[in-house]
Amino acid sequence: MERLAKLNPPQREAVTTLSGPLLVLAGAGTGKTRVITFRIAELIRSGIQPDRILSVTFTNKAAREMRERTKALLGKGRKPKPMVSTFHSFCVGVLRQEITALGYPTGFAIYDRGDQESAARKALREIRIGEAALKPSDLLNSISRWKMAGIAPGQAHNHTETDQDFLAASAYRKYQKNLYSSGAVDFDDLLLLTNELFRKHPEVLEKHQRRFDHVQIDEYQDTNGSQFDLVASMVAGHGNLCVVGDDDQSIYGWRGADVEHILGFASHFPGAKIVRLENNYRCTPKILTLANRLVKHNRGRHEKTLVAHKKSEVPVRILKFEEETDEAEQLVREIKYTIDELGARPSEFAILFRTNEQPRVFETELRRQQLRYVVIGAQSFFDRREIRDSMAYLKSLAFPADEVSLLRIINTPARGIGTTSVAKLLKRAVAGGISLWDAVEPAVADGDLTLKTGQAVMQFRALLQRYAQRMTDSPRQMVQIAKELLKEVDYVDEIRKQYKEESQQESRIEILGSFIDSIGQYVEKDEEPTLQGYLESCALMGRDEEFGQNDQQDDNAIKLMTLHSAKGLEFPRVYLVGLEEGLLPHRRSVEANTESAIAEERRLCYVGITRAMDHLVLSRSESRMKWGKRKPSLPSRFLYEMQPE
């Protein structure tokens, strides 16, 4: 079996087990994609027709990669081909053929988020529930949660815990009825309706069961209730199901994934064979020692211990800093030294963090050191709307002639100065070669502007002048003055109007807090702080397109990403930062104080550690700025758990 010579014994066992239920527990870095593609090739070599094999994964990118690798193993000209698909695209294919059995048209529309918002609003209006009682976005979140769990509109009332849930269950029925009468489905319906179709029409299920003799599922730990039901019904006839996954990397509970599906595989599919892939080809022994120690603190898991195939004595470093700017400065300085003096490439480095607010101090430092970086899976801190607005306020205080900044905020939040009025003022200012402010009086006199609008503009000017004077008089009070300015213009209310979901509002307000913190850090460090000095420090070295978010396509850049975005990736040098209680584990999980919430955070930390191939640094700060005040931080419990017993 020369073709399987590249596989280790457990991989070979998985690849050559061609019938019945099979669970391949593929630990981090153990070569799971190789096993999936080799197994497809082995099935075909054993005489199975390629188009009788269905291989399902979660993302289009993963499906594309699997197709390419299978093609490389089998040769390009082979016809027919195995079906490699995502759950949703498989369901669209089924529904396009069969959905008339449920009373929908074959040419059904698939609603996007905007269409869903309109449908939710209509449903709430029809059952006379005001937005004060239930927001459309909250209704959609509840509906999505139910649909992912496979709960139909008629059953939702049995799954309510709060008054809001009860209202949502009533609105769910109306929402679904409206979609049905419009001949439309939403994204979650693709799975829900396929399951309904199979349940209500056994002949349709049988037809689709007959299409495939073998089904493979990748990333099985990420399946939700609807996906589980779909898989179970598709293999009920033949039982030839191979699932590949790792319960230790189940980190998507918040979006419906149920780790019980992989933990209970043997009871769901009796007679299942379990193969453990524990040979890790990615990480050094010292990295794996920490990872194994950490994850063993989770009680509900399949027992497995990763074994390193690399030989390396490089230690994992655990570093402590006084505060978060020290953490960023010293780690970035180390990265710069490694690139400049030791010849490392920027693409070798990844800085991983738990929350979207954390990268700001690192972005500032990377720009200052003129190092190329890209923020993945999160918008660059400096590109966020809230930060651009807040900076525009400060620039308008420091540089009264900066009309670009002024135009950004003149009616943000709304203060009765509409776009038409601003356009008229701008036109007059340009024609007369005068400032926007100087154009107000003549515009009111000539009737171009109403008296009320003119007064609103001048009141805004007075507010800016007042705060500019305070910044000049008391630069050490910059944090307090900036907080008062944002409070007086009621910017938090603007956030609440812009983002309907509470979680989004909370995250945006946290971003605003990070902005205030950045001012506090500047004042703390500078002997003679000034507003202009702060703005200058933010302008940093180089242009955005050279060092920031716009460099998404630049392969040779340092990667900044959340732990959720890092899953499935690997880097020679990893910095996992902010290992503190409230960050990792996250504050919400600490407050929930349930075993499952902390277990998922522990898995997230494990995912971060196992991204590192050769070098790993774990870091924390002893204090962090929170809303302009420095507060002590506690070391993450995970740091203690990684130590020897």
PDB file of all heavy atoms in Angstrom, residues 481-507:
ATOM      1  N   ILE A 481     -12.082  65.706  30.142  1.00  0.00           N
ATOM      2  CA  ILE A 481     -12.707  66.658  29.202  1.00  0.00           C
ATOM      3  C   ILE A 481     -13.299  65.902  28.010  1.00  0.00           C
ATOM      4  O   ILE A 481     -14.429  66.184  27.579  1.00  0.00           O
ATOM      5  CB  ILE A 481     -11.672  67.723  28.741  1.00  0.00           C
ATOM      6  CG1 ILE A 481     -11.192  68.545  29.952  1.00  0.00           C
ATOM      7  CG2 ILE A 481     -12.273  68.648  27.688  1.00  0.00           C
ATOM      8  CD1 ILE A 481      -9.944  69.395  29.681  1.00  0.00           C
ATOM      9  N   ALA A 482     -12.553  64.916  27.483  1.00  0.00           N
ATOM     10  CA  ALA A 482     -13.048  64.130  26.336  1.00  0.00           C
ATOM     11  C   ALA A 482     -14.304  63.348  26.728  1.00  0.00           C
ATOM     12  O   ALA A 482     -15.281  63.284  25.961  1.00  0.00           O
ATOM     13  CB  ALA A 482     -11.965  63.183  25.847  1.00  0.00           C
ATOM     14  N   LYS A 483     -14.303  62.776  27.937  1.00  0.00           N
ATOM     15  CA  LYS A 483     -15.484  62.038  28.404  1.00  0.00           C
ATOM     16  C   LYS A 483     -16.695  62.966  28.498  1.00  0.00           C
ATOM     17  O   LYS A 483     -17.805  62.624  28.080  1.00  0.00           O
ATOM     18  CB  LYS A 483     -15.209  61.414  29.785  1.00  0.00           C
ATOM     19  CG  LYS A 483     -14.425  60.111  29.709  1.00  0.00           C
ATOM     20  CD  LYS A 483     -13.818  59.730  31.032  1.00  0.00           C
ATOM     21  CE  LYS A 483     -14.786  59.052  31.968  1.00  0.00           C
ATOM     22  NZ  LYS A 483     -14.064  58.487  33.143  1.00  0.00           N
ATOM     23  N   GLU A 484     -16.463  64.187  29.036  1.00  0.00           N
ATOM     24  CA  GLU A 484     -17.570  65.143  29.186  1.00  0.00           C
ATOM     25  C   GLU A 484     -18.083  65.604  27.821  1.00  0.00           C
ATOM     26  O   GLU A 484     -19.284  65.786  27.632  1.00  0.00           O
ATOM     27  CB  GLU A 484     -17.122  66.339  30.029  1.00  0.00           C
ATOM     28  CG  GLU A 484     -16.997  65.999  31.514  1.00  0.00           C
ATOM     29  CD  GLU A 484     -16.387  67.124  32.339  1.00  0.00           C
ATOM     30  OE1 GLU A 484     -16.510  68.294  31.919  1.00  0.00           O
ATOM     31  OE2 GLU A 484     -15.789  66.830  33.400  1.00  0.00           O
ATOM     32  N   LEU A 485     -17.166  65.786  26.876  1.00  0.00           N
ATOM     33  CA  LEU A 485     -17.573  66.191  25.520  1.00  0.00           C
ATOM     34  C   LEU A 485     -18.479  65.125  24.900  1.00  0.00           C
ATOM     35  O   LEU A 485     -19.563  65.434  24.388  1.00  0.00           O
ATOM     36  CB  LEU A 485     -16.329  66.408  24.648  1.00  0.00           C
ATOM     37  CG  LEU A 485     -16.563  66.596  23.141  1.00  0.00           C
ATOM     38  CD1 LEU A 485     -17.402  67.837  22.862  1.00  0.00           C
ATOM     39  CD2 LEU A 485     -15.234  66.709  22.390  1.00  0.00           C
ATOM     40  N   LEU A 486     -18.039  63.860  24.952  1.00  0.00           N
ATOM     41  CA  LEU A 486     -18.839  62.775  24.362  1.00  0.00           C
ATOM     42  C   LEU A 486     -20.181  62.632  25.076  1.00  0.00           C
ATOM     43  O   LEU A 486     -21.196  62.303  24.460  1.00  0.00           O
ATOM     44  CB  LEU A 486     -18.062  61.452  24.410  1.00  0.00           C
ATOM     45  CG  LEU A 486     -16.839  61.381  23.480  1.00  0.00           C
ATOM     46  CD1 LEU A 486     -16.036  60.119  23.730  1.00  0.00           C
ATOM     47  CD2 LEU A 486     -17.251  61.463  22.010  1.00  0.00           C
ATOM     48  N   LYS A 487     -20.172  62.927  26.388  1.00  0.00           N
ATOM     49  CA  LYS A 487     -21.424  62.851  27.149  1.00  0.00           C
ATOM     50  C   LYS A 487     -22.355  63.994  26.755  1.00  0.00           C
ATOM     51  O   LYS A 487     -23.560  63.797  26.569  1.00  0.00           O
ATOM     52  CB  LYS A 487     -21.116  62.902  28.655  1.00  0.00           C
ATOM     53  CG  LYS A 487     -22.336  62.596  29.503  1.00  0.00           C
ATOM     54  CD  LYS A 487     -22.005  62.533  30.976  1.00  0.00           C
ATOM     55  CE  LYS A 487     -23.274  62.212  31.767  1.00  0.00           C
ATOM     56  NZ  LYS A 487     -23.038  62.263  33.207  1.00  0.00           N
ATOM     57  N   GLU A 488     -21.780  65.208  26.603  1.00  0.00           N
ATOM     58  CA  GLU A 488     -22.625  66.365  26.277  1.00  0.00           C
ATOM     59  C   GLU A 488     -23.268  66.228  24.894  1.00  0.00           C
ATOM     60  O   GLU A 488     -24.410  66.616  24.701  1.00  0.00           O
ATOM     61  CB  GLU A 488     -21.813  67.666  26.362  1.00  0.00           C
ATOM     62  CG  GLU A 488     -22.700  68.896  26.200  1.00  0.00           C
ATOM     63  CD  GLU A 488     -22.035  70.209  26.618  1.00  0.00           C
ATOM     64  OE1 GLU A 488     -21.067  70.190  27.403  1.00  0.00           O
ATOM     65  OE2 GLU A 488     -22.514  71.247  26.147  1.00  0.00           O
ATOM     66  N   VAL A 489     -22.506  65.678  23.930  1.00  0.00           N
ATOM     67  CA  VAL A 489     -23.116  65.505  22.591  1.00  0.00           C
ATOM     68  C   VAL A 489     -23.953  64.223  22.539  1.00  0.00           C
ATOM     69  O   VAL A 489     -24.587  63.932  21.537  1.00  0.00           O
ATOM     70  CB  VAL A 489     -22.053  65.492  21.462  1.00  0.00           C
ATOM     71  CG1 VAL A 489     -21.271  66.784  21.440  1.00  0.00           C
ATOM     72  CG2 VAL A 489     -21.127  64.290  21.542  1.00  0.00           C
ATOM     73  N   ASP A 490     -23.957  63.456  23.622  1.00  0.00           N
ATOM     74  CA  ASP A 490     -24.742  62.222  23.759  1.00  0.00           C
ATOM     75  C   ASP A 490     -24.370  61.196  22.694  1.00  0.00           C
ATOM     76  O   ASP A 490     -25.217  60.645  21.997  1.00  0.00           O
ATOM     77  CB  ASP A 490     -26.250  62.540  23.695  1.00  0.00           C
ATOM     78  CG  ASP A 490     -27.060  61.525  24.504  1.00  0.00           C
ATOM     79  OD1 ASP A 490     -26.441  60.576  25.013  1.00  0.00           O
ATOM     80  OD2 ASP A 490     -28.281  61.686  24.621  1.00  0.00           O
ATOM     81  N   TYR A 491     -23.059  60.944  22.590  1.00  0.00           N
ATOM     82  CA  TYR A 491     -22.605  60.017  21.549  1.00  0.00           C
ATOM     83  C   TYR A 491     -23.050  58.582  21.830  1.00  0.00           C
ATOM     84  O   TYR A 491     -23.296  57.804  20.900  1.00  0.00           O
ATOM     85  CB  TYR A 491     -21.074  60.079  21.385  1.00  0.00           C
ATOM     86  CG  TYR A 491     -20.654  59.415  20.100  1.00  0.00           C
ATOM     87  CD1 TYR A 491     -20.710  60.090  18.885  1.00  0.00           C
ATOM     88  CD2 TYR A 491     -20.269  58.078  20.074  1.00  0.00           C
ATOM     89  CE1 TYR A 491     -20.387  59.468  17.698  1.00  0.00           C
ATOM     90  CE2 TYR A 491     -19.943  57.447  18.889  1.00  0.00           C
ATOM     91  CZ  TYR A 491     -20.003  58.148  17.707  1.00  0.00           C
ATOM     92  OH  TYR A 491     -19.700  57.521  16.525  1.00  0.00           O
ATOM     93  N   VAL A 492     -23.194  58.211  23.103  1.00  0.00           N
ATOM     94  CA  VAL A 492     -23.645  56.842  23.425  1.00  0.00           C
ATOM     95  C   VAL A 492     -25.049  56.610  22.883  1.00  0.00           C
ATOM     96  O   VAL A 492     -25.380  55.521  22.387  1.00  0.00           O
ATOM     97  CB  VAL A 492     -23.575  56.582  24.953  1.00  0.00           C
ATOM     98  CG1 VAL A 492     -24.302  55.304  25.330  1.00  0.00           C
ATOM     99  CG2 VAL A 492     -22.112  56.510  25.394  1.00  0.00           C
ATOM    100  N   ASP A 493     -25.893  57.672  22.925  1.00  0.00           N
ATOM    101  CA  ASP A 493     -27.247  57.549  22.374  1.00  0.00           C
ATOM    102  C   ASP A 493     -27.174  57.328  20.860  1.00  0.00           C
ATOM    103  O   ASP A 493     -27.973  56.581  20.282  1.00  0.00           O
ATOM    104  CB  ASP A 493     -28.064  58.814  22.688  1.00  0.00           C
ATOM    105  CG  ASP A 493     -29.529  58.624  22.330  1.00  0.00           C
ATOM    106  OD1 ASP A 493     -30.153  57.667  22.821  1.00  0.00           O
ATOM    107  OD2 ASP A 493     -30.054  59.419  21.531  1.00  0.00           O
ATOM    108  N   GLU A 494     -26.194  57.970  20.202  1.00  0.00           N
ATOM    109  CA  GLU A 494     -25.980  57.774  18.764  1.00  0.00           C
ATOM    110  C   GLU A 494     -25.664  56.298  18.477  1.00  0.00           C
ATOM    111  O   GLU A 494     -26.183  55.712  17.522  1.00  0.00           O
ATOM    112  CB  GLU A 494     -24.820  58.670  18.291  1.00  0.00           C
ATOM    113  CG  GLU A 494     -24.335  58.424  16.867  1.00  0.00           C
ATOM    114  CD  GLU A 494     -25.280  58.981  15.816  1.00  0.00           C
ATOM    115  OE1 GLU A 494     -26.352  59.515  16.183  1.00  0.00           O
ATOM    116  OE2 GLU A 494     -24.942  58.859  14.625  1.00  0.00           O
ATOM    117  N   ILE A 495     -24.843  55.699  19.326  1.00  0.00           N
ATOM    118  CA  ILE A 495     -24.508  54.273  19.161  1.00  0.00           C
ATOM    119  C   ILE A 495     -25.769  53.422  19.292  1.00  0.00           C
ATOM    120  O   ILE A 495     -26.011  52.515  18.505  1.00  0.00           O
ATOM    121  CB  ILE A 495     -23.446  53.841  20.199  1.00  0.00           C
ATOM    122  CG1 ILE A 495     -22.086  54.451  19.823  1.00  0.00           C
ATOM    123  CG2 ILE A 495     -23.346  52.322  20.309  1.00  0.00           C
ATOM    124  CD1 ILE A 495     -20.978  54.221  20.838  1.00  0.00           C
ATOM    125  N   ARG A 496     -26.595  53.757  20.293  1.00  0.00           N
ATOM    126  CA  ARG A 496     -27.820  52.969  20.506  1.00  0.00           C
ATOM    127  C   ARG A 496     -28.774  53.085  19.315  1.00  0.00           C
ATOM    128  O   ARG A 496     -29.503  52.156  18.989  1.00  0.00           O
ATOM    129  CB  ARG A 496     -28.520  53.404  21.792  1.00  0.00           C
ATOM    130  CG  ARG A 496     -27.685  53.132  23.036  1.00  0.00           C
ATOM    131  CD  ARG A 496     -28.519  53.115  24.304  1.00  0.00           C
ATOM    132  NE  ARG A 496     -27.689  53.235  25.494  1.00  0.00           N
ATOM    133  CZ  ARG A 496     -26.964  52.242  26.011  1.00  0.00           C
ATOM    134  NH1 ARG A 496     -26.983  51.061  25.435  1.00  0.00           N
ATOM    135  NH2 ARG A 496     -26.225  52.444  27.084  1.00  0.00           N
ATOM    136  N   LYS A 497     -28.769  54.255  18.655  1.00  0.00           N
ATOM    137  CA  LYS A 497     -29.634  54.429  17.475  1.00  0.00           C
ATOM    138  C   LYS A 497     -29.077  53.668  16.268  1.00  0.00           C
ATOM    139  O   LYS A 497     -29.821  53.149  15.453  1.00  0.00           O
ATOM    140  CB  LYS A 497     -29.749  55.916  17.127  1.00  0.00           C
ATOM    141  CG  LYS A 497     -30.701  56.677  18.042  1.00  0.00           C
ATOM    142  CD  LYS A 497     -30.715  58.150  17.694  1.00  0.00           C
ATOM    143  CE  LYS A 497     -31.615  58.917  18.658  1.00  0.00           C
ATOM    144  NZ  LYS A 497     -31.245  60.340  18.709  1.00  0.00           N
ATOM    145  N   GLN A 498     -27.740  53.645  16.159  1.00  0.00           N
ATOM    146  CA  GLN A 498     -27.107  53.024  14.986  1.00  0.00           C
ATOM    147  C   GLN A 498     -27.169  51.502  15.027  1.00  0.00           C
ATOM    148  O   GLN A 498     -27.287  50.851  14.008  1.00  0.00           O
ATOM    149  CB  GLN A 498     -25.626  53.445  14.885  1.00  0.00           C
ATOM    150  CG  GLN A 498     -25.410  54.885  14.491  1.00  0.00           C
ATOM    151  CD  GLN A 498     -25.968  55.199  13.115  1.00  0.00           C
ATOM    152  OE1 GLN A 498     -25.972  54.371  12.222  1.00  0.00           O
ATOM    153  NE2 GLN A 498     -26.461  56.411  12.959  1.00  0.00           N
ATOM    154  N   TYR A 499     -27.038  50.926  16.244  1.00  0.00           N
ATOM    155  CA  TYR A 499     -26.968  49.469  16.359  1.00  0.00           C
ATOM    156  C   TYR A 499     -28.133  48.976  17.192  1.00  0.00           C
ATOM    157  O   TYR A 499     -28.282  49.360  18.332  1.00  0.00           O
ATOM    158  CB  TYR A 499     -25.631  49.042  16.993  1.00  0.00           C
ATOM    159  CG  TYR A 499     -24.444  49.582  16.238  1.00  0.00           C
ATOM    160  CD1 TYR A 499     -23.788  50.736  16.658  1.00  0.00           C
ATOM    161  CD2 TYR A 499     -24.013  48.971  15.074  1.00  0.00           C
ATOM    162  CE1 TYR A 499     -22.724  51.254  15.948  1.00  0.00           C
ATOM    163  CE2 TYR A 499     -22.935  49.481  14.349  1.00  0.00           C
ATOM    164  CZ  TYR A 499     -22.306  50.620  14.790  1.00  0.00           C
ATOM    165  OH  TYR A 499     -21.253  51.128  14.077  1.00  0.00           O
ATOM    166  N   LYS A 500     -28.938  48.109  16.589  1.00  0.00           N
ATOM    167  CA  LYS A 500     -30.165  47.682  17.246  1.00  0.00           C
ATOM    168  C   LYS A 500     -29.910  46.585  18.289  1.00  0.00           C
ATOM    169  O   LYS A 500     -30.609  46.482  19.270  1.00  0.00           O
ATOM    170  CB  LYS A 500     -31.173  47.169  16.208  1.00  0.00           C
ATOM    171  CG  LYS A 500     -31.569  48.227  15.176  1.00  0.00           C
ATOM    172  CD  LYS A 500     -32.304  49.392  15.844  1.00  0.00           C
ATOM    173  CE  LYS A 500     -32.699  50.444  14.824  1.00  0.00           C
ATOM    174  NZ  LYS A 500     -32.228  51.777  15.156  1.00  0.00           N
ATOM    175  N   GLU A 501     -28.896  45.725  18.056  1.00  0.00           N
ATOM    176  CA  GLU A 501     -28.674  44.616  18.970  1.00  0.00           C
ATOM    177  C   GLU A 501     -27.879  45.070  20.191  1.00  0.00           C
ATOM    178  O   GLU A 501     -26.881  45.785  20.057  1.00  0.00           O
ATOM    179  CB  GLU A 501     -27.919  43.491  18.252  1.00  0.00           C
ATOM    180  CG  GLU A 501     -28.766  42.828  17.189  1.00  0.00           C
ATOM    181  CD  GLU A 501     -27.984  41.801  16.378  1.00  0.00           C
ATOM    182  OE1 GLU A 501     -27.069  41.164  16.938  1.00  0.00           O
ATOM    183  OE2 GLU A 501     -28.294  41.671  15.193  1.00  0.00           O
ATOM    184  N   GLU A 502     -28.334  44.621  21.341  1.00  0.00           N
ATOM    185  CA  GLU A 502     -27.673  45.039  22.592  1.00  0.00           C
ATOM    186  C   GLU A 502     -26.201  44.650  22.615  1.00  0.00           C
ATOM    187  O   GLU A 502     -25.352  45.394  23.087  1.00  0.00           O
ATOM    188  CB  GLU A 502     -28.396  44.427  23.790  1.00  0.00           C
ATOM    189  CG  GLU A 502     -29.484  45.362  24.335  1.00  0.00           C
ATOM    190  CD  GLU A 502     -30.159  44.790  25.564  1.00  0.00           C
ATOM    191  OE1 GLU A 502     -29.430  44.386  26.484  1.00  0.00           O
ATOM    192  OE2 GLU A 502     -31.405  44.751  25.582  1.00  0.00           O
ATOM    193  N   SER A 503     -25.894  43.441  22.083  1.00  0.00           N
ATOM    194  CA  SER A 503     -24.497  42.984  22.106  1.00  0.00           C
ATOM    195  C   SER A 503     -23.628  43.913  21.260  1.00  0.00           C
ATOM    196  O   SER A 503     -22.494  44.219  21.624  1.00  0.00           O
ATOM    197  CB  SER A 503     -24.401  41.556  21.579  1.00  0.00           C
ATOM    198  OG  SER A 503     -24.885  41.505  20.247  1.00  0.00           O
ATOM    199  N   GLN A 504     -24.178  44.378  20.127  1.00  0.00           N
ATOM    200  CA  GLN A 504     -23.430  45.307  19.268  1.00  0.00           C
ATOM    201  C   GLN A 504     -23.237  46.640  19.984  1.00  0.00           C
ATOM    202  O   GLN A 504     -22.154  47.218  19.958  1.00  0.00           O
ATOM    203  CB  GLN A 504     -24.191  45.541  17.958  1.00  0.00           C
ATOM    204  CG  GLN A 504     -23.938  44.476  16.917  1.00  0.00           C
ATOM    205  CD  GLN A 504     -24.535  44.879  15.581  1.00  0.00           C
ATOM    206  OE1 GLN A 504     -25.663  45.359  15.509  1.00  0.00           O
ATOM    207  NE2 GLN A 504     -23.783  44.711  14.521  1.00  0.00           N
ATOM    208  N   GLN A 505     -24.306  47.118  20.625  1.00  0.00           N
ATOM    209  CA  GLN A 505     -24.216  48.394  21.362  1.00  0.00           C
ATOM    210  C   GLN A 505     -23.130  48.291  22.427  1.00  0.00           C
ATOM    211  O   GLN A 505     -22.279  49.176  22.548  1.00  0.00           O
ATOM    212  CB  GLN A 505     -25.562  48.712  22.031  1.00  0.00           C
ATOM    213  CG  GLN A 505     -26.667  49.063  21.048  1.00  0.00           C
ATOM    214  CD  GLN A 505     -28.013  49.186  21.750  1.00  0.00           C
ATOM    215  OE1 GLN A 505     -28.118  49.082  22.967  1.00  0.00           O
ATOM    216  NE2 GLN A 505     -29.058  49.405  20.974  1.00  0.00           N
ATOM    217  N   GLU A 506     -23.154  47.184  23.172  1.00  0.00           N
ATOM    218  CA  GLU A 506     -22.186  46.993  24.259  1.00  0.00           C
ATOM    219  C   GLU A 506     -20.755  46.998  23.711  1.00  0.00           C
ATOM    220  O   GLU A 506     -19.863  47.647  24.251  1.00  0.00           O
ATOM    221  CB  GLU A 506     -22.476  45.658  24.960  1.00  0.00           C
ATOM    222  CG  GLU A 506     -21.679  45.458  26.229  1.00  0.00           C
ATOM    223  CD  GLU A 506     -21.955  44.081  26.850  1.00  0.00           C
ATOM    224  OE1 GLU A 506     -23.023  43.506  26.591  1.00  0.00           O
ATOM    225  OE2 GLU A 506     -21.078  43.593  27.564  1.00  0.00           O
ATOM    226  N   SER A 507     -20.571  46.292  22.591  1.00  0.00           N
ATOM    227  CA  SER A 507     -19.222  46.206  22.027  1.00  0.00           C
ATOM    228  C   SER A 507     -18.755  47.561  21.510  1.00  0.00           C
ATOM    229  O   SER A 507     -17.602  47.940  21.663  1.00  0.00           O
ATOM    230  CB  SER A 507     -19.222  45.127  20.941  1.00  0.00           C
ATOM    231  OG  SER A 507     -18.578  45.549  19.803  1.00  0.00           O
TER     232      SER A 507
END
